[in-house]
Amino acid sequence: MRRPLLCLIVMLFSQLIRTNAQSQLQKIYVHPKTPGNEKQSKFIDSIRFIPLEIKEGIELTTHANVEVTANYIMIRNYANKEALLYTKNGRFVKKISYKKLGDFFYPVYDEHKDQLIFWGNNRNYQLTSRDRIKVKLDYSNPRNKRYFKKYKIDLKDTTFTIKKDIPQQNDILNSTYYYDDVYVMGNINTSELYKDSLDYELKLYKGNQLIKSYFPYNHINEAKYLYAEENITRNLTDTPYIQIVTRPYCDTIYKMVKDSLFPAYQIVLPLENSLPPSFFNKPFKNKADRENFRRNNGWMFHQVYMFYETPRFIYFLMAYQSNYETYLYQKKTNTICKVKNIKPDSSQYNLQLFEQYGNSRKQDKFYKTIKAGDILPFFEKNKEVPVPKELESFLKSNPPENTPVIIEFKLKN
């Protein structure tokens, strides 16, 4: 076969793939004013209680969340500045206090290294946004590490000691692990300090080498990013090497398979909730001008954050200019429901399992923390309802009302 003919066939085949991908772009229609009340049992099953070992002085605070690590269940009690570690079956392991690190340090789980990372500013320095850009432009300069503090807890070390760590290039540039030796950067901002106007919203690196970049924008004066700092969001799926990518002010949701990116869904909003064309081509005069726009258009689209898909549902968190809403989209009926309008019922112990800003998730399992006092009254009033086996001995022990209980559940298949 002649080379020109081969090139033509390859080009036509590539065009066919792109056209097919566009035609398969699934639209998700969102109507923020639609109530859409539903019963919780329509969406959730496989409920499992994980009662936690009762320990004196351990109670669930208002600002707390749960995360499942490689070997533990961790509850972050933000109010008390402590992390509580339990085994997967609820046995108490350790209370880790991080008060001494300061107000702006909290544990972030690094799944790749199985570590808790505490990262923040050195309180001896006050960096402006401009200063931070200068630091990133000169990130390889060892002197710039002094502006930050980093600590870690290796969860494979059962002493769970908080240790000082040295800030690395990936920390300063806010790049995160993706797969193998590939890291991702998804920070977006503008400044006249940049010499080159061309940058990309999403970049993949191996070491210091850029291997792939997506979504070019003007690094100096892109209208939609002036006087703001934004980020690409990545969500894990249940399949290795596949993630969901969302962008600020973009209604398209992408699937990233290793270093390839494909549009998968499009959010369709009413005109009153959509950004006007002027937002993308008319620059804000200053930071106050941008803040006024945000405040006066609180229900205009900003970005999709959390996004998770099952065969039946799509569960996602949408940010508007100054509001948030979590939704459940039903594929078969093409209908959507606000999570806050989904009501619990007696078949699920009258427990509200969906959280306003999304639940913690590990693969296909979701997690919610409740207090023992949230479940005890139900069984006292409904003697005919069998107590789940894993709760029997726990409830008989008469636990204090604020004792934490973990609920694990799935979305229905």
Side-chain angles (χ1 to χ4, degrees), residues 92 129 182 376:
F92 179 77
S129 297
V182 176
L376 283 167

Side-chain angles (χ1 to χ4, degrees), residues 41 58 81 99 105 118-119 143-144 157 162 187 226 246 257 262 313 326 352 366 396:
S41 53
I58 300 292
K81 297 187 184 302
K99 290 180 181 179
F105 288 84
F118 301 83
W119 169 262
R143 288 173 57 84
N144 283 328
D157 176 3
I162 298 178
N187 310 113
L226 278 177
T246 66
V257 185
F262 310 94
F313 303 110
T326 305
Q352 181 67 54
F366 291 82
K396 287 177 182 177

Side-chain angles (χ1 to χ4, degrees), residues 41 52 57 59 88 150 225 267 394:
S41 53
L52 303 181
E59 60 180 31
K88 296 289 181 71
K150 183 182 180 182
Y225 293 137
I267 301 293
F394 177 75

